[in-house]
Amino acid sequence: MEFDLKKLPCFGVAGNFTGHLEQAGEAVEFQNVKTKEKNAPKAIFPTYIPNAKNLVPEFLGTFPFDSGKIIFPHGEEKLQIEPECALILNAEWNGAKLKSLVPVKFGASNDCSIRKPGAKKISMKKNWGKCSKGLSENLISIDGFFEKGNIAKYRIACFLFRDGKIFEYGEDSPVKGYSYIFEKLTNWLIEKFNTQKDEGTAENVGKYLVSIGSPEQIMVSIGATRYTEFGETNFLKDGDESIVILYPDKYSNTEIKEMAAENSFSDKEISVLRQKIILQ
């Protein structure tokens, strides 16, 4: 099934890579969230709901994705890349309950975020209008969402290109290094879509989906990796370029960094998202 991102409801996962929330200064927002396991993700949050109904906050109806640029929101200061693996998933429903999710494509995602302490909902730091997020135009078909599938061989790299120099912004990390991945992740997603309530910084994402007709496909960015020391302490500026790359482990991090510096990617097995940061 082919897809049009503008027609898909899009979501993110909070706390699916150990240490990221602490680096982002957001762990306190989830201190009262009870999880079955210590390292379990904390919540699903919405980033875009097409044809948003009255139940859905109006701002979530604005399409926030652009594969070439991030528009820096007026009046904000602390903006960070969030390097992630995104999944396109086929959804099967049983009435108003989500029955199954099958990942069919994956690629590089920037779930770009404003560091804004005290925001009532996670989504308020995620979608501030057009060009506030990113998904690579080169998505890769999944031949099986399990340990021996092609996605298990991929790694996530993240760089910042500033003033002619390239810096490692996120720790080079394996996709299978997520706290929840493969069947454990899809089972968790199904449970959360069916049971998550509108409380704390979380929202009733299941009701959002039902309100727009129980869609047959959704997009989920499954969590940001940890930052390097540079990434943790350097926020985005006008003219920067954000680079998120999902690449097969036949390449080394050094090779990928060289490709990023030269902006030269010929292998279709590499999913690249490169975005210019532009002041509003």
Side-chain angles (χ1 to χ4, degrees), residues 3-5 7-13 44-49 63-65 84-91 101 105-111 133-136 139 189 193 209 215-222:
F3 74 95
D4 177 354
L5 191 63
K7 295 179 180 178
L8 298 192
C10 300
F11 301 89
V13 175
I44 298 172
F45 56 86
T47 54
Y48 170 62
I49 307 293
F63 184 69
F65 292 89
E84 309 199 12
C85 173
L87 303 175
I88 305 295
L89 306 104
N90 290 342
L101 286 172
K105 289 184 180 292
F106 70 100
S109 169
N110 178 8
D111 191 35
K133 320 210 76 51
L135 179 67
S136 173
L139 298 184
L189 289 170
F193 275 119
L209 288 178
E216 295 181 355
Q217 282 191 325
I218 64 172
M219 189 278 269
V220 180
S221 282
I222 63 174

Side-chain angles (χ1 to χ4, degrees), residues 48-66:
Y48 170 62
I49 307 293
N51 304 310
K53 308 298 182 184
N54 292 336
L55 180 72
V56 182
E58 186 177 353
F59 73 91
L60 287 172
T62 298
F63 184 69
F65 292 89
D66 191 282

Side-chain angles (χ1 to χ4, degrees), residues 5 51-52 63-64 68 77-78 84-85 114 121-122 153 155 158 160 215 246 259 268 272 276:
L5 191 63
N51 304 310
F63 184 69
E77 295 179 354
K78 294 184 176 181
E84 309 199 12
C85 173
I114 304 168
K121 300 293 182 184
I122 304 169
K153 298 181 177 73
R155 300 185 67 87
C158 179
L160 181 73
L246 260 70
M259 292 180 198
K268 294 298 183 184
V272 181
K276 190 93 169 180

Side-chain angles (χ1 to χ4, degrees), residues 26-270:
E26 295 179 340
V28 66
E29 297 178 15
F30 301 97
Q31 61 185 0
N32 295 322
V33 175
K34 295 180 180 178
T35 57
K36 292 180 180 179
E37 297 179 333
K38 185 178 180 180
N39 70 336
K42 308 303 182 187
I44 298 172
F45 56 86
T47 54
Y48 170 62
I49 307 293
N51 304 310
K53 308 298 182 184
N54 292 336
L55 180 72
V56 182
E58 186 177 353
F59 73 91
L60 287 172
T62 298
F63 184 69
F65 292 89
D66 191 282
S67 60
K69 61 182 178 290
I70 291 285
I71 295 179
F72 202 109
H74 180 72
E76 298 294 343
E77 295 179 354
K78 294 184 176 181
L79 200 66
Q80 279 183 301
I81 307 166
E82 293 219 344
E84 309 199 12
C85 173
L87 303 175
I88 305 295
L89 306 104
N90 290 342
E92 186 179 350
W93 294 81
N94 182 7
K97 287 288 185 182
L98 185 59
K99 183 180 177 183
S100 72
L101 286 172
V102 179
V104 291
K105 289 184 180 292
F106 70 100
S109 169
N110 178 8
D111 191 35
C112 200
S113 189
I114 304 168
R115 299 305 173 209
K116 186 188 293 188
K120 291 183 178 180
K121 300 293 182 184
I122 304 169
S123 56
M124 292 177 176
K125 300 181 286 186
K126 300 291 186 177
N127 183 339
W128 57 84
K130 294 178 180 179
C131 306
S132 52
K133 320 210 76 51
L135 179 67
S136 173
E137 292 181 351
N138 181 37
L139 298 184
I140 298 158
S141 294
I142 293 175
D143 64 8
F145 197 57
F146 46 76
E147 189 70 37
K148 293 185 178 180
N150 60 337
I151 191 172
K153 298 181 177 73
Y154 273 74
R155 300 185 67 87
I156 306 166
C158 179
F159 305 99
L160 181 73
F161 197 74
R162 173 179 288 172
D163 299 329
K165 297 179 181 178
I166 193 165
F167 302 91
E168 290 206 40
Y169 200 87
E171 290 184 4
D172 189 287
S173 306
V175 169
K176 59 185 179 182
Y178 277 107
S179 295
Y180 278 28
I181 191 64
F182 308 134
E183 185 179 16
K184 191 170 188 177
L185 174 63
T186 52
N187 287 342
W188 180 87
L189 289 170
I190 292 165
E191 179 186 1
K192 279 294 176 182
F193 275 119
N194 285 329
T195 63
Q196 184 169 290
K197 298 177 181 178
D198 184 7
E199 57 186 16
T201 56
E203 294 165 75
N204 192 324
V205 287
K207 278 190 176 180
Y208 289 179
L209 288 178
V210 172
S211 77
I212 60 170
S214 304
E216 295 181 355
Q217 282 191 325
I218 64 172
M219 189 278 269
V220 180
S221 282
I222 63 174
T225 60
R226 288 183 295 272
Y227 294 116
T228 61
E229 183 179 355
F230 177 88
E232 187 175 0
T233 55
N234 280 268
F235 298 100
L236 297 175
K237 297 179 182 178
D238 184 37
D240 285 347
E241 285 185 75
S242 158
I243 310 164
V244 182
I245 305 166
L246 260 70
Y247 69 95
D249 58 13
K250 64 183 180 182
Y251 295 102
S252 68
N253 175 265
T254 300
E255 290 172 316
I256 292 298
K257 188 174 182 178
E258 288 173 358
M259 292 180 198
E262 296 169 2
N263 197 18
S264 177
F265 295 91
S266 57
D267 191 340
K268 294 298 183 184
E269 289 187 345
I270 300 175

